[in-house]
Amino acid sequence: QVQLEQSGAEVKKPGASVKVSCKASGYTFTSYGLDWVRQAPGQGLEWMGRISGYNANANYAQKLQGRVTMTIDTSTPTAYMELRSLSSDDTAVYFCARVNMLRVNDYWGQGTLITVSS
Amino acid sequence: DIQMTQSPSSLSASVGDRVTITCRASQGISNSLAWYQQKPGKAPNLLLFAASRLESGVPSRFSGSGSGTDYTLTISSLQPEDFATYFCQHYSSTPPTFGGGTKVEIK
């Protein structure tokens, strides 16, 4: 069965960076893309970007350009999302979600809470 | 970017009620619309895609309709496990954007 297992919650100080992992199992990793989506406390869902499991090409939400980097390691297989220059506005639960052939997010990780606080 | 406007933002309903949630796109999205259910502390769960196609394992009391810019999610007979927040999402172009969500609460 398809599973996406994310790394654990972290607390970061303003200005720091965070790297969240998403380990995939139960499907052919290189045949699907992965989205990263975040959700601030009590808020809606915000798409952050997408990375191809095939060739690691990534595109990012315009508002995060320059602060976010998405990578993959096909050997493990795991996807990573690094966000730099954190501020309190980045406090959120971060999800990875598989992108199927129809470009729909059919499987989601359990989420990783990132808290930015001094 | 395509904006998704979802309404209502919340509603109160009783078990057995018929519930309808709407989602309007700022431009046509050619039925490239998904609906998700999210319970507190959990990841979203895909219910429907292509506006009206039920994801495997999702109960048939959930249905979707619409075209162009206007789409609807209907729960024909609300069950206790359906109390949750529902989100629409278009995937017709990048970035795929979400509606603001509809919280379905117990009356």
Side-chain angles (χ1 to χ4, degrees):
Chain A
Q1 69 284 20
V2 174
Q3 289 190 320
L4 298 171
E5 187 68 29
Q6 297 184 223
S7 49
E10 298 197 51
V11 179
K12 294 291 184 179
K13 294 198 180 301
S17 298
V18 69
K19 192 170 186 177
V20 180
S21 66
C22 170
K23 182 173 174 59
S25 61
Y27 71 98
T28 303
F29 184 78
T30 53
S31 296
Y32 295 83
L34 277 169
D35 281 352
W36 288 90
V37 176
R38 68 179 180 179
Q39 187 170 37
Q43 303 301 308
L45 299 164
E46 179 187 12
W47 183 82
M48 300 178 66
R50 177 172 297 167
I51 186 164
S52 165
Y54 174 69
N55 59 14
N57 284 349
N59 56 14
Y60 306 126
Q62 191 163 8
K63 70 176 283 189
L64 296 174
Q65 287 275 2
R67 282 208 303 137
V68 66
T69 302
M70 295 174 188
T71 56
I72 59 170
D73 178 351
T74 56
S75 68
T76 36
T78 301
Y80 299 90
M81 186 284 299
E82 181 180 32
L83 189 61
R84 300 176 291 278
S85 301
L86 293 169
S87 73
S88 56
D89 290 342
D90 295 314
T91 293
V93 176
Y94 289 75
F95 296 102
C96 60
R98 193 179 80 163
V99 185
N100 70 12
M101 306 303 183
L102 298 177
R103 304 189 309 276
V104 175
N105 298 128
D106 57 354
Y107 290 92
W108 293 65
Q110 81 275 22
T112 297
L113 174 61
I114 303 299
T115 303
V116 183
S117 174
S118 56
Chain B
D1 297 0
I2 297 174
Q3 308 304 316
M4 305 300 293
T5 303
Q6 198 174 329
S7 62
S9 56
S10 65
L11 65 88
S12 296
S14 300
V15 172
D17 283 354
R18 182 182 182 87
V19 168
T20 299
I21 299 167
T22 63
C23 194
R24 173 166 288 176
S26 58
Q27 64 190 73
I29 56 171
S30 304
N31 287 9
S32 296
L33 184 94
W35 289 98
Y36 299 88
Q37 177 193 67
Q38 187 180 33
K39 296 184 177 178
K42 300 294 186 182
N45 180 52
L46 177 64
L47 297 177
L48 296 108
F49 59 96
S52 61
R53 293 178 62 181
L54 210 61
E55 174 71 349
S56 176
V58 174
S60 59
R61 63 181 178 273
F62 292 92
S63 64
S65 64
S67 63
T69 61
D70 294 330
Y71 298 86
T72 299
L73 170 70
T74 299
I75 310 171
S76 60
S77 177
L78 200 63
Q79 298 301 299
E81 60 268 31
D82 301 337
F83 291 96
T85 300
Y86 294 84
F87 294 93
C88 62
Q89 179 205 37
H90 90 83
Y91 52 92
S92 64
S93 61
T94 301
T97 51
F98 295 87
T102 297
K103 187 173 184 179
V104 177
E105 298 175 300
I106 302 172
K107 183 183 279 186

